[in-house]
Amino acid sequence: MAKIKAGKGAPYARILGVGGYRPTRVVPNEVILEKIDSSDEWIRSRSGIQTRHWANDEETVAAMSIEASGKAIADAGISAEQVGAVIVSTVTHFKQTPAVATEIADKLGTDKAAAFDISAGCAGFGYGLTLAKGMIVEGSAEYVLVIGVERLSDLTDLEDRATAFLFGDGAGAVVVGPSQEPAIGPTVWGSEGDKSETIKQTVPWTDYREGVVERFPAITQEGQAVFRWAVFEMAKVAQQALDAAGITSDELDVFIPHQANERIIDSLAKTLKLPESVTVARDIRTTGNTSAASIPLAMERLLATGEAKSGDTALVIGFGAGLVYAATVVTLP
Ligand SMILES: CC(C)(COP(=O)(O)OP(=O)(O)OC[C@H]1O[C@@H](n2cnc3c(N)ncnc32)[C@H](O)[C@@H]1OP(=O)(O)O)[C@@H](O)C(=O)NCCC(=O)NCCS
């Protein structure tokens, strides 16, 4: 048997830079109320959302990703040619092939970086981060760009009062690169396909094409079931990620959960017994739920506003359609 040489990677990986892009159009709850019977008070108190951003025709999945990635690359202090792989997590790029990641890699000016898309809903950022870490340690890339991007306004039924107010658009990106010390903890992740019906696209695209349905597909969810799953099961997963990283809640500086509902965020923080000193991301208020983009967007904002700082220890957890989840502890860039 011939001897195969293993790749030579870095001892560990870390997030080196972060960038975000929020579409220019800010959409307050009043606009949502034009199509559903609800109130600003109800939406704020039940979800925490006050405004969200909706993309215009020019703010495509690729365009928003390129903006966010350019900032992340600059923040990391590297050049685009050094990026060895581009991972894009999205469920709202409506052209199945080729992957949008290849267009992004090209337009950013990478040197033929490996590029591919993944579909892991609101856990997409954690899935991408985990792949990136493995690639860097194994040696197939020195720097990996992980992008979470969504145009959920394209996949929202504005007449469905259970979901119309929830979703927003945007892109968040991080550059992951080599580290001499552990700066991304073990990922606690998984899927629960037996609950796949709780958040889903209403019908396959083909049903729309073939005229089986008149309405373009949208995301639908069993809000209460997902809410209960998130507060009970995700609290356990978050604790497992802390334990796996050997970090106590007292040692934590920042908590960046998926921005799905502010009441879920509060409940997780309470169950985890996070001390007052821990900064909790509440980007949901002005960004809504942007699925794969939500964690990097929230991370970018906390760092930009000074609520979090470089070197802080942060617990990140994403969860959503699948159902899927991914949690890990990271050192902030
Ligand atoms: C969607 C969500 C905000 C709804 O909040 P909720 O408190 O669960 O609301 P419910 O669906 O139980 O409805 C409560 C009441 O409000 C009403 N209601 C529902 N939507 C409403 C709206 N937009 N405006 C006003 N009232 C509304 C319901 O009819 C119900 O009335 P009833 O008590 O008279 O029957 C919440 O379930 C949620 O955030 N779920 C999880 C979302 C999530 O994490 N998704 C992850 C996906 S990535």
Side-chain angles (χ1 to χ4, degrees):
M1 197 171 63
K3 201 166 166 205
I4 297 174
K5 255 180 31 191
K8 208 159 174 249
Y12 305 103
R14 68 178 297 147
I15 301 176
L16 296 168
V18 61
Y21 181 80
R22 292 174 166 81
T24 43
R25 183 178 174 201
V26 175
V27 179
N29 289 339
E30 285 68 31
V31 171
I32 306 294
L33 298 174
E34 289 168 11
K35 297 242 172 79
I36 56 165
D37 177 18
S38 185
S39 68
D40 179 45
E41 210 287 309
W42 192 93
I43 296 172
R44 282 177 192 244
S45 63
R46 303 310 287 170
S47 72
I49 302 169
Q50 300 166 11
T51 58
R52 73 286 287 144
H53 296 254
W54 281 354
N56 62 30
D57 290 348
E58 280 79 52
E59 290 167 320
T60 61
V61 162
M64 293 194 292
S65 298
I66 290 165
E67 286 290 327
S69 301
K71 292 179 195 164
I73 289 169
D75 192 40
I78 64 163
S79 67
E81 299 94 78
Q82 290 175 276
V83 173
V86 177
I87 303 172
V88 178
S89 181
T90 184
V91 295
T92 46
H93 181 245
F94 297 140
K95 200 166 167 186
Q96 190 71 48
T97 193
V100 71
T102 61
E103 178 189 343
I104 295 165
D106 177 54
K107 293 210 171 123
L108 282 170
T110 70
D111 181 17
K112 299 181 185 168
F116 57 98
D117 299 352
I118 59 170
S119 173
C122 305
F125 177 73
Y127 272 58
L129 187 65
T130 306
L131 294 179
K133 178 176 112 171
M135 289 152 77
I136 290 158
V137 171
E138 171 269 333
S140 52
E142 190 177 11
Y143 298 99
V144 181
L145 190 60
V146 179
I147 303 166
V149 55
E150 302 292 358
R151 276 180 60 112
L152 287 170
S153 60
D154 289 339
L155 209 54
T156 301
D157 177 356
L158 292 178
E159 289 172 3
D160 174 13
R161 73 203 290 247
T163 55
F165 58 93
L166 284 174
F167 301 119
D169 304 337
V174 296
V175 171
V176 187
S179 171
Q180 292 306 312
E181 284 160 21
I184 302 175
T187 303
V188 177
W189 59 348
S191 69
E192 296 185 37
D194 59 325
K195 300 185 183 66
S196 61
E197 293 292 303
T198 56
I199 311 175
K200 61 176 184 184
Q201 181 173 319
T202 43
V203 292
W205 307 114
T206 43
D207 278 12
Y208 179 69
R209 184 191 65 193
E210 289 155 14
V212 179
V213 291
E214 281 179 17
R215 193 186 276 277
F216 194 70
I219 295 175
T220 169
Q221 70 169 352
E222 296 168 24
Q224 281 202 20
V226 178
F227 192 97
R228 277 197 300 274
W229 174 77
V231 298
F232 292 115
E233 302 305 322
M234 292 307 101
K236 294 180 207 162
V237 169
Q239 185 61 54
Q240 285 164 13
L242 283 174
D243 295 344
I247 295 289
T248 64
S249 54
D250 288 335
E251 292 173 296
L252 203 62
D253 301 305
V254 185
F255 179 43
I256 313 179
H258 170 47
Q259 305 289 297
N261 184 315
E262 195 167 359
R263 289 186 296 135
I264 295 176
I265 297 170
D266 287 335
S267 172
L268 290 175
K270 196 171 162 205
T271 310
L272 290 166
K273 297 192 174 65
L274 298 186
E276 289 280 305
S277 57
V278 174
T279 299
V280 179
R282 294 177 189 283
D283 198 34
I284 177 108
R285 292 178 182 170
T286 54
T287 306
N289 178 347
T290 56
S291 191
S294 96
I295 290 173
L297 274 176
M299 184 184 291
E300 182 263 346
R301 178 151 284 172
L302 288 176
L303 288 163
T305 57
E307 291 166 89
K309 58 183 192 311
S310 173
D312 276 355
T313 303
L315 170 63
V316 300
I317 177 166
F319 46 84
L323 295 174
V324 288
Y325 54 87
T328 186
V329 176
V330 302
T331 305
L332 291 182

